[in-house]
Amino acid sequence: MTRMQVTMTVNGDEVTREIEGRLLLVHFLRDHLALTGTHWGCDTSNCGTCVVWLDGEPVKSCTVLAAMAGGHEVRTVEGLAGPGGQLDAVQRGFVECHGLQCGFCTPGMMMTARALLDRNPDPSEPEIREAISGQICRCTGYATIVRSVRWAAAEEAGTRTEQPADELASGPGGVS
Amino acid sequence: MTTVAGRDSAHDSQDGQDGRPTAFVDNDQKPCGHGRMLRKEDARFVRGKGRYVDDLQLPGMLHLAVLRSPFAHARIVSVDTTLAEAHPKVRLVVTGAALAEQGLAWMPTLSGDVQAVLATDKVRFQGQEVAFVVAEDRYAARDALELIDVEYEALDPVIDVRTALSPQAPVIRDDLEGKEDNHCFDWETGDAAETEAAFARADVVVTEDIVYPRVHPAPMETCGAVADYDAVDGRLTLWSTTQAPHAHRTLYAIVAGLPEHKIRVISPDIGGGFGNKVPIYPGYVCAIVGSLLTGKPVKWMEDRAENLISTGFARDYVMRGEIAATRDGRILAIRTNVLADHGAFNGTAAPVKYPAGFFGVFTGSYDIEAAYCKMTAVYTNKAPGGVAYACSFRITEAVYLVERIVDCLAYELGVDPVELRLKNFIRPEQFPYRSKTGWVYDSGNYAPTMELAKQLAGYDQLRAEQAEKRARGEVMGIGVAFFTEAVGAGPRKDMDILGLGMADGCELRVHPTGKAVVRLSVQTQGQGHETTFAQIVAEELGIPPQDIDVVHGDTDQTPFGLGTYGSRSTPVSGAAAALVARKVRDKARLIASSMLEVSVADLEWAKGSFRVTGDPEASVTIQDIAMRAHGAGDLPDGVEGGLEAQICYNPENLTYPHGAYICVVDIDPGTAKVTVRRFVAVDDCGTRINPMIIEGQVHGGLTDGVGMALMEMISFDEDGNCLSGSLMDYLIPTSLEVPDWETGFTVTPSPHHPIGAKGVGESATVGSPPAIVNAVVDALKPYGIRHADMPLTPSRVWEAMNGRPMPPI
C-alpha cells in the first residue's frame, strides 16, 4: 500500500505523519494521534459519533480521508475546552442538563452544537433538532441534548437565570 | 403505602420521599444522598477522555478481523487460507477446523445450548463466523479476509418461523445428536383448564394475532475486545464490551480451561449496552485465541454491519392473544400461544429456569381469574439472541401482548381504554399480589399513576380535540398503555445463569480521612452508577458523594456478581450498597460509643454523625470515626481496626415498578406518515435515588419505543439474506422523529428493598411501544382497524388504511 506524508493542524498543533492514502480521518485521529474522543459508530455515515471540524465546518470524519485533511485545520472534542482547561459553555451545558449518558455520541454532538452556536447564538428548539439530526444518540432521547444546547446559548448570551430549568423544561404540548 | 406524585422537569429535584424540594444545586452544593445530582462520569466524557475498548492501545497490539458467511445455510466444503497467510502483515489465520483441534470450535451459550465459535461443518446464519485473521493493523486484517477462499454448498434455509417445524423443513441443528427437527423448547405457564372454563363463561372473547418483530439493540459502540495473554504468568487480561464481567470470566474459565484466578476481565467505559453486551460472542473468544497463539495483545472491534447481523437481536415473538370478558368490561382471563424465533443457536440470556424469560407476567396490571400461555421456540437460519434491548427478560413482549389485547377488547366493547384499565386494575390493598401465573407483585398503587398521566396529558381535552379533527377528516390517535414491570433478578434459589446465582456483591472501604470507595459487581453502560451508587452510600453514611469513588467493571477489583441487565442494578446491587453501608455504620456505632464513652444504646444517628441522646453537643462524625478506626486510640473490645465491610445480597423477590403512558399521534392521510406529537410518561419506581438520571433513562427508553413502533426491524429475504445490516436500512430515531418528552412520577416503594427502590431503566422501552401502537390503531379507528403490526412505517400504515394490513414477517 502506497504511503504518503500528510501535514495538518489538529487543535492548533501542526502534525505530520506517514500514512496510507486510504486511511480515514477518524482512524488517523484515533489510532495515529491517540485522540480517542472522536468515535466510530457505523459504516454508512449515518451516526455522526465521528463528527469533528474541518476548517470550522462539522464533518463526519469517517467519510473524509486523512489525506484530504492535509493542509487544513481539524478541531476535535479534545480541543473544545479553553487553554486553561476550562470547559466550553457547550460542555458545561451537557453536564448541567444531563445531555449525555454513555458518552459515546457526546463528542460529536458537542462539536455540532458548538458550530451551531457560532453561527446562530440563539437557536430555537427545532433549529437545534435539525442541526443534530445527522447524529444518533441511543441513550438520551435527545430532549436533554436540546436543553443542553439551549443552556449553553443562554449562558453565552448572559440570559441564563438562576432557575434555567423553567424555560428549558419540557412543557405540555412539546414539539410536533 | 404512600404515594407522592409530581412532574419531572429539567431541574425539578423533589426527592420523592418527603416531597422536600432541594432546588437547583451546582456541583459544590449537592445534597448528601438521594436527589438530583450532576454526574461524576461527565467530567471525562465531555472532554473526550472516556476510555472505551477501542481506545486501548497496547505495545505490540495486533488486530483481528472475522470472515463471515455470505449464506444463511450452507455446508462448508473447503477453506483455503494460503493467500491470506502469505500477506506480509498477517500473523495468524484460524479456521473452524483449526479451532476444533483445540476443542474450542464450539462454546456454551447462556441458555445451555452450544454455539459455533467458528463454523466447522456448516454455516447456519448469514454473518456467522467462519475464520479469523490477526494482522499488524486493522486495515490489513480486513484486506486479508478477502484472500480467504471458502467453498460452500448451499442448503435450503429456514427463515419463516411458522414453517420451521414442518416435516419438510431442513434440519438446522444436525450438530445435536439425534436432532431431526427445528424444535428448540416448549414452555407453558398458568392453568389451561381454569382458563378454558373462564373463556366458556365469557360474554365477549377477542382474539388477535400480534407479532413483536425482530429488532436490534444497536448500541452506538459496537462489541469488541482486547485480549492480552501473558505467557510468563499464565495470566489473561481481557478488556471487553461486557455487561457482566464476572459471569464472562467464569465462562471463559470453563470454555478455555484457564484457571479463573488467572483471568481478569475489564469492562471499561461502555458506549451503551442495551442488552446487546450480555452474551459471549465468538469475537471475544477469537481475540483470546489470537492472543494465546501470537503471544501479543489482540484487538477485535466489529463494525456496524457485523453488530446488526450477528449479535444478539431482540423480540421475534409471534403471539396469538385471546382475552375473555364480561359485557360490562370485567376481564376474566387471558390466554396466549407463542411461536418464538430463537435463530440458529439458543443464545438467549435468561435465568436457567426461565427459558421464556419473565414472559409469564403477561397478565399485566389486571386482577383476572385465570391465565394460560403455551409457547414453542424454534431454530431458524438467523443470528442467535432474543433477550436484549431493555426487555427485562421478555417483559417487552408480555406487556405488548396484554396492552394490545386489552385495547382490542376496548375496541370491541366500545369503551374508553383508560376506563377499561381502571376497572380491572389490581387494587392497592391486594399487594403483595400473586398473579395467576405465579408472580408475586411487591407493591403498586395503579389508579393515581393513571390519573396523573391523564391529568398531565389533558386526556379529556385530547379526546375532544380528536373528535373535532375526525369531523374535519384529520387522523389523530391517542394511545394509552399501563404496565407492570418485574425487574431485579433475582432470588438465588430460583434464578441463576448457568449455575451462577443472581446475587450481587458489594464492598465498602472508608479510608482514614473519611473518604470512601465502594466496589460493585454490576457494570454501568451509561446508567450513571458512578454517581447514584455514591448517592446510596452517601444517604446511608453521611459521607458526601463527591468523597465516594465507585469502582466497577474489573473482576480483579470488584466482588462477584452477575452484572447489569434486566434493570437489576438498583434492585440487587443498590440494595447491597445500602446494606454494606449500614454494616459499616453498625461498626462505626461501636467505635463512636467508645469515643463518646457512652453505651451504644445512648447513641442516635444523625446523617453523618453519631450523637448522644439528649446531648447534641456530644457527637462524632463518620470522618472522626474513620480516623479512630485506623488510628492509635483505643477501640472497643472485639472490634478490629479499619472501617470496611462486604456483603452479598440475595434479593427475596423482584421489584415491580409500574407506569402509565399516553401517546398522541397525527397521521398524514396522504402519506400515512405517523408523527408522535406528544408523549406523557408517568413512572413509579418507588424511592427515587436521582430524579435527573431517572428522567434521562425514561427519555432514552421512550425513544426506543418510537424506533420499535414506527421504524426498526431486522428483516430477511427468502434466501435468508439479512436486509437490515446497516443504519441505512435499520432505522433508529433521530432528534427529528421524537417529541420533547413529558414525564411525571408517583412513588410506591418496594417493601422488601432496603431503600424502597425499584428498577426503572427498561420501563420506558417496555411501556412505550404499546402506547404508540395503541395510538396509531386508535387513529385508524374510522378505517375499521383493530390491530396493525409494528413497525408502523408509512407504507405499512398506508396498506392498513387501505384494508391490507401486513404481518411483519
Side-chain angles (χ1 to χ4, degrees):
Chain A
M1 194 61 59
T2 342
R3 296 183 75 81
M4 58 191 296
Q5 185 173 302
V6 65
T7 300
M8 69 182 85
T9 305
V10 180
N11 298 328
D13 295 332
E14 190 175 282
V15 297
T16 299
R17 293 288 188 281
E18 285 279 323
I19 59 165
E20 289 182 5
R22 63 175 173 172
L23 183 68
L24 298 173
L25 180 58
V26 63
H27 290 136
F28 178 74
L29 296 169
R30 291 179 49 80
D31 295 349
H32 293 246
L33 303 186
L35 294 172
T36 53
T38 302
H39 296 139
W40 186 52
C42 77
D43 325 321
T44 47
S45 204
N46 295 89
C47 82
T49 59
C50 63
V51 166
V52 301
W53 288 9
L54 193 60
D55 295 339
E57 197 68 39
V59 297
K60 290 177 174 172
S61 62
C62 76
T63 315
V64 176
L65 292 172
M68 292 163 68
H72 295 275
E73 286 196 15
V74 174
R75 192 178 180 200
T76 70
V77 65
E78 289 89 349
L80 202 49
Q86 75 274 24
L87 293 182
D88 185 86
V90 167
Q91 291 170 306
R92 283 189 285 141
F94 272 71
V95 174
E96 294 287 340
C97 298
H98 191 33
L100 66 151
Q101 291 179 32
C102 81
F104 203 76
C105 78
T106 312
M109 287 287 183
M110 294 192 307
M111 294 310 288
T112 298
R114 184 64 266 166
L116 171 69
L117 293 181
D118 286 350
R119 287 158 182 69
N120 177 0
D122 186 25
S124 65
E125 172 165 340
E127 285 170 337
I128 296 168
R129 285 182 180 269
E130 179 75 34
I132 60 169
S133 65
Q135 292 169 260
I136 295 172
C137 168
R138 291 296 271 161
C139 296
T140 65
Y142 303 105
T144 56
I145 293 180
V146 174
R147 287 179 202 164
S148 303
V149 181
R150 287 292 311 147
W151 189 98
E155 174 76 358
E156 293 188 327
T159 55
R160 193 170 67 76
T161 61
E162 280 305 302
Q163 292 278 349
D166 296 343
E167 68 193 59
L168 301 176
S170 56
V175 171
S176 59
Chain B
M1 170 183 316
T2 352
T3 297
V4 180
R7 172 182 208 140
D8 282 322
S9 70
H11 292 275
D12 178 359
S13 49
Q14 299 242 320
D15 80 1
Q17 285 300 282
D18 54 12
R20 168 175 46 90
T22 42
F24 177 70
V25 287
D26 64 26
N27 266 334
D28 299 326
Q29 301 169 303
K30 285 171 212 157
C32 189
H34 305 164
R36 184 180 197 270
M37 173 180 150
L38 300 183
R39 297 202 325 162
K40 294 166 154 240
E41 292 91 335
D42 292 356
R44 63 180 187 276
F45 291 149
V46 299
R47 290 172 169 88
K49 297 291 183 196
R51 196 183 214 203
Y52 305 88
V53 168
D54 198 24
D55 300 345
L56 199 65
Q57 303 219 32
L58 298 178
M61 188 177 75
L62 303 172
H63 293 262
L64 184 149
V66 174
L67 182 72
R68 294 177 181 277
S69 168
F71 290 97
H73 201 190
R75 196 157 301 286
I76 293 176
V77 179
S78 63
V79 184
D80 183 351
T81 59
T82 318
L83 288 176
E85 283 164 8
H87 188 290
K89 288 190 172 179
V90 166
R91 301 287 190 87
L92 182 69
V93 182
V94 175
T95 64
L99 274 192
E101 285 172 20
Q102 318 278 329
L104 292 173
W106 294 81
M107 63 181 187
T109 69
L110 296 179
S111 310
D113 193 356
V114 290
Q115 173 175 358
V117 176
L118 293 178
T120 51
D121 50 343
K122 64 179 188 176
V123 290
R124 292 175 172 83
F125 67 92
Q126 188 187 55
Q128 188 182 339
E129 299 79 1
V130 173
F132 73 81
V133 167
V134 177
E136 288 169 20
D137 67 64
R138 66 174 94 216
Y139 284 50
R142 296 274 167 160
D143 288 342
L145 295 183
E146 307 285 326
L147 301 174
I148 300 174
D149 187 18
V150 184
E151 189 185 338
Y152 296 97
E153 177 190 312
L155 301 169
D156 286 338
V158 178
I159 301 305
D160 186 339
V161 66
R162 293 164 300 190
T163 60
L165 292 176
S166 90
Q168 291 78 37
V171 178
I172 299 168
R173 295 301 301 280
D174 46 359
D175 59 296
L176 300 173
E177 204 171 318
K179 189 78 180 149
E180 288 174 356
D181 60 23
N182 294 316
H183 181 261
C184 185
F185 65 83
D186 286 319
W187 177 81
E188 65 177 342
T189 188
D191 189 316
E194 259 182 32
T195 307
E196 182 60 45
F199 269 79
R201 280 188 284 113
D203 301 325
V204 185
V205 170
V206 176
T207 302
E208 191 64 68
D209 288 329
I210 295 169
V211 177
Y212 210 135
R214 177 175 287 230
V215 291
H216 196 281
M220 288 323 298
E221 179 206 35
T222 58
C223 299
V226 176
D228 185 12
Y229 182 69
D230 176 346
V232 176
D233 293 337
R235 268 187 80 85
L236 171 71
T237 306
L238 184 77
W239 289 262
S240 71
T241 51
T242 173
Q243 297 177 220
H246 289 277
H248 278 205
R249 182 186 63 183
T250 303
L251 280 169
Y252 292 132
I254 292 167
V255 173
L258 292 168
E260 203 167 355
H261 66 298
K262 297 281 194 183
I263 303 175
R264 179 182 184 188
V265 176
I266 299 173
S267 186
D269 289 328
I270 301 295
F274 312 108
N276 189 230
K277 294 166 179 172
V278 176
I280 290 180
Y281 294 119
Y284 302 148
V285 178
C286 292
I288 294 170
V289 171
S291 185
L292 284 168
L293 294 180
T294 61
K296 301 279 186 185
V298 170
K299 178 187 279 184
W300 167 66
M301 201 73 218
E302 70 186 4
D303 62 29
R304 174 60 55 196
E306 295 177 289
N307 179 255
L308 286 169
I309 65 176
S310 74
T311 65
F313 72 93
R315 325 294 188 252
D316 220 344
Y317 266 26
V318 176
M319 306 180 276
R320 168 156 294 181
E322 295 177 278
I323 188 164
T326 61
R327 177 61 56 198
D328 66 353
R330 178 84 202 134
I331 301 170
L332 300 174
I334 298 174
R335 182 162 60 191
T336 182
N337 201 300
V338 180
L339 198 51
D341 187 340
H342 278 237
F345 308 103
N346 188 16
T348 314
V352 168
K353 290 179 196 163
Y354 300 83
F358 303 163
F359 187 77
V361 300
F362 69 89
T363 59
S365 313
Y366 311 107
D367 180 24
I368 62 176
E369 295 177 11
Y372 177 66
C373 169
K374 168 90 172 68
M375 173 178 296
T376 301
V378 300
Y379 291 115
T380 60
N381 287 115
K382 302 175 190 172
V387 167
Y389 206 172
C391 76
S392 308
F393 300 117
R394 300 290 189 184
I395 294 178
T396 31
E397 290 91 326
V399 164
Y400 185 65
L401 176 84
V402 63
E403 289 305 286
R404 275 304 301 134
I405 199 74
V406 165
D407 250 38
C408 290
L409 176 65
Y411 180 101
E412 287 305 307
L413 294 172
V415 300
D416 183 274
V418 171
E419 293 308 313
L420 181 62
R421 285 173 170 84
L422 284 168
K423 186 179 189 119
N424 287 283
F425 276 156
I426 300 162
R427 296 181 310 279
E429 66 274 16
Q430 290 179 285
F431 292 92
Y433 174 84
R434 179 175 289 274
S435 82
K436 288 295 180 266
T437 49
W439 297 80
V440 181
Y441 297 9
D442 58 348
S443 65
N445 194 1
Y446 295 164
T449 310
M450 181 64 106
E451 293 297 342
L452 180 60
K454 275 185 76 176
Q455 180 203 323
L456 292 177
Y459 185 75
D460 297 335
Q461 298 95 295
L462 283 172
R463 286 289 175 201
E465 180 194 344
Q466 183 184 38
E468 287 166 23
K469 286 195 165 162
R470 275 191 179 151
R472 292 199 298 269
E474 293 176 39
V475 189
M476 168 187 166
I478 305 157
V480 57
F482 194 99
F483 63 88
T484 299
E485 259 267 42
V487 298
R492 62 194 304 166
K493 69 178 166 43
D494 296 327
M495 294 181 187
D496 66 276
I497 300 273
L498 291 185
L500 303 172
M502 300 187 80
D504 275 278
C506 194
E507 291 175 11
L508 176 63
R509 193 176 296 174
V510 183
H511 303 314
T513 56
K515 316 292 183 190
V517 57
V518 57
R519 299 171 191 275
L520 315 176
S521 59
V522 292
Q523 164 60 33
T524 189
Q525 313 121 46
Q527 299 94 326
H529 293 169
E530 290 170 31
T531 303
T532 52
F533 278 79
Q535 290 184 270
I536 293 170
V537 172
E539 178 78 23
E540 301 298 329
L541 271 191
I543 295 175
Q546 302 92 313
D547 290 349
I548 302 167
D549 244 11
V550 176
V551 175
H552 59 90
D554 181 337
T555 56
D556 271 9
Q557 294 203 40
T558 56
F560 186 88
L562 271 260
T564 295
Y565 43 82
S567 300
R568 63 188 301 281
S569 292
T570 294
V572 191
S573 210
L579 292 180
V580 81
R582 288 175 196 175
K583 216 167 160 179
V584 165
R585 200 168 74 197
D586 288 343
K587 179 173 178 181
R589 180 189 299 270
L590 297 176
I591 297 170
S593 75
S594 75
M595 291 170 78
L596 294 166
E597 297 177 339
V598 295
S599 84
V600 289
D602 292 330
L603 289 175
E604 56 187 27
W605 173 250
K607 200 194 263 187
S609 60
F610 281 105
R611 63 187 179 206
V612 177
T613 308
D615 182 7
E617 296 299 304
S619 76
V620 285
T621 67
I622 187 74
Q623 290 82 3
D624 300 334
I625 297 167
M627 187 55 84
R628 172 64 74 102
H630 293 87
D634 283 344
L635 292 174
D637 288 345
V639 173
E640 291 177 16
L643 191 57
E644 57 196 61
Q646 57 181 305
I647 199 169
C648 183
Y649 181 74
N650 176 29
E652 66 173 76
N653 189 7
L654 304 178
T655 66
Y656 293 75
H658 66 269
Y661 290 178
I662 295 176
C663 174
V664 182
V665 300
D666 294 313
I667 300 178
D668 182 331
T671 64
K673 181 180 186 294
V674 178
T675 300
V676 177
R677 192 206 325 161
R678 289 185 58 197
F679 201 109
V680 171
V682 178
D683 275 278
D684 188 326
C685 57
T687 302
R688 292 153 58 84
I689 298 160
N690 184 328
M692 176 190 83
I693 282 180
I694 294 169
E695 190 194 24
Q697 292 272 289
V698 171
H699 285 187
L702 298 177
T703 307
D704 293 346
V706 170
M708 286 181 279
L710 304 181
M711 301 164 71
E712 300 175 24
M713 182 172 166
I714 298 283
S715 58
F716 297 85
D717 69 13
E718 60 188 11
D719 295 325
N721 294 306
C722 179
L723 304 178
S724 320
S726 83
L727 297 184
M728 306 287 277
D729 316 284
Y730 190 74
L731 303 181
I732 294 169
T734 73
S735 51
L736 298 178
E737 280 81 42
V738 298
D740 199 0
W741 311 105
E742 302 166 56
T743 57
F745 65 93
T746 53
V747 178
T748 312
S750 174
H752 65 77
H753 190 276
I755 59 172
K758 304 182 183 185
V760 71
E762 295 167 314
S763 285
T765 311
V766 164
S768 56
I772 298 165
V773 174
N774 288 350
V776 172
V777 173
D778 180 61
L780 299 180
K781 207 170 182 181
Y783 296 79
I785 289 162
R786 194 176 74 183
H787 176 70
D789 280 315
M790 301 186 283
L792 294 165
T793 58
S795 65
R796 297 173 55 80
V797 174
W798 179 264
E799 293 297 329
M801 290 168 89
N802 286 282
R804 301 183 296 268
M806 302 189 295
I809 55 172

